[in-house]
Amino acid sequence: MKRHALTLPLLIVLAACGKSDPEPLPTPTATVAAPRNLVAADLDLATLGAKVVGPQGPQVETVLSAGNTEIGTMVSYVACPAEVIECVPGKMPEGTLYTYVHQVTLDDAERDEIKPTSGPEVVEAAPTLFRTTAKAHGFTGAIGYAKAEAEAALGAPEAITTTLDNGSLIWRVTEGGGWKPGSTITFWWQSTLPPAGPADNYLLEVDGNQSAARGPFPAEDKPVEGKKPR
C-alpha cells in the first residue's frame, strides 16, 4: 500500500510534463460566394392567378433605351398562385409565393455591324443578358423563362442559363444565333415577398448596349421585434 502511495504523485507529475499547449484556433476569414448556376424552368401561365394591382395598375411598362436609341420594351407584373382570384398582398397569408414576370421585346431595328474576323481589332462578343441589379429579396430558388419564346427568338429552347450571383439573378444567352429583332422572351422568378413598387433594379444588355429597366421589385424583409425573419 505504501508503494502505491509513493508512486501515484510521480505518475501525476509525469503526465503533466507530457501535456503540450493546445493549438491556436484558426482565424476566420471572409469568403466571397461564387456565382451559383440555377435550374431554369419553363414558364407555365396555368400556375399563375390574379395579378398584384400597383400604383400603375396590374402591370408596369417601360421603354428600354441606350443613349438616344430605343432597343426594346419591357412589360412586368407580379402574380399570386393559380387559386387566388384577387391578389392583395396585405390580405394574403404568410408563405404566399409571388411570381415576378418580365416580358422583354426587342425593337425591329437591325443593329448588327460588319466586324473583323482577324487582327487586333477582334474582341470577344458582347454578352446578351437580362438581370436584376439588386439582391432579389425573398428569392425561393424558382426561376426560368418561356422556352418556346426562346426557341423562336434565339433558335434553341435551352439557349439561356440562369445564375445567382451575390444575390442578383442573371439570365444569360449562351446558345443560339442571337436575339432576333422584334421577338419577345419572358423571364420569371419567385419570391416570398410581394412587390414594394416599381424600381430601377433590372438591366438588359444586348448587342453591346445596356439599358436600365424599371419593374416591380420586393423590398428587403426587415425583421420585426420579437419575430424571426422569414
Side-chain angles (χ1 to χ4, degrees), residues 68-106:
N68 296 325
T69 303
E70 180 178 330
I71 63 174
T73 58
M74 184 174 83
V75 177
S76 303
Y77 62 86
V78 181
C80 277
E83 66 274 9
V84 178
I85 59 175
E86 186 179 16
C87 189
V88 181
K91 298 180 180 180
M92 301 305 299
E94 186 173 358
T96 297
L97 297 181
Y98 298 91
T99 301
Y100 288 71
V101 181
H102 313 282
Q103 300 171 330
V104 178
T105 303
L106 294 190

Side-chain angles (χ1 to χ4, degrees), residues 104-128:
V104 178
T105 303
L106 294 190
D107 70 344
D108 293 324
E110 290 280 357
R111 289 179 298 276
D112 294 337
E113 298 179 358
I114 298 176
K115 300 177 182 178
T117 57
S118 62
E121 300 87 357
V122 176
V123 296
E124 185 179 353
T128 296

Side-chain angles (χ1 to χ4, degrees), residues 26-32:
T27 303
T29 55
T31 58
V32 179

Side-chain angles (χ1 to χ4, degrees), residues 165-187:
D165 188 355
N166 199 28
S168 297
L169 304 176
I170 303 174
W171 294 258
R172 185 185 297 270
V173 176
T174 55
E175 297 180 20
W179 196 333
K180 296 178 182 178
S183 60
T184 299
I185 301 178
T186 303
F187 308 93

Side-chain angles (χ1 to χ4, degrees), residues 113-204:
E113 298 179 358
I114 298 176
K115 300 177 182 178
T117 57
S118 62
E121 300 87 357
V122 176
V123 296
E124 185 179 353
T128 296
L129 59 85
F130 176 72
R131 65 169 296 164
T132 67
T133 55
K135 181 179 179 181
H137 305 300
F139 177 54
T140 65
I143 188 173
Y145 57 92
K147 297 193 175 183
E149 293 178 350
E151 184 172 18
L154 302 168
E158 304 292 340
I160 298 174
T161 59
T162 50
T163 308
L164 179 66
D165 188 355
N166 199 28
S168 297
L169 304 176
I170 303 174
W171 294 258
R172 185 185 297 270
V173 176
T174 55
E175 297 180 20
W179 196 333
K180 296 178 182 178
S183 60
T184 299
I185 301 178
T186 303
F187 308 93
W188 69 271
W189 59 287
Q190 281 188 341
S191 173
T192 57
L193 301 174
D200 296 322
N201 287 343
Y202 299 94
L203 180 140
L204 175 69

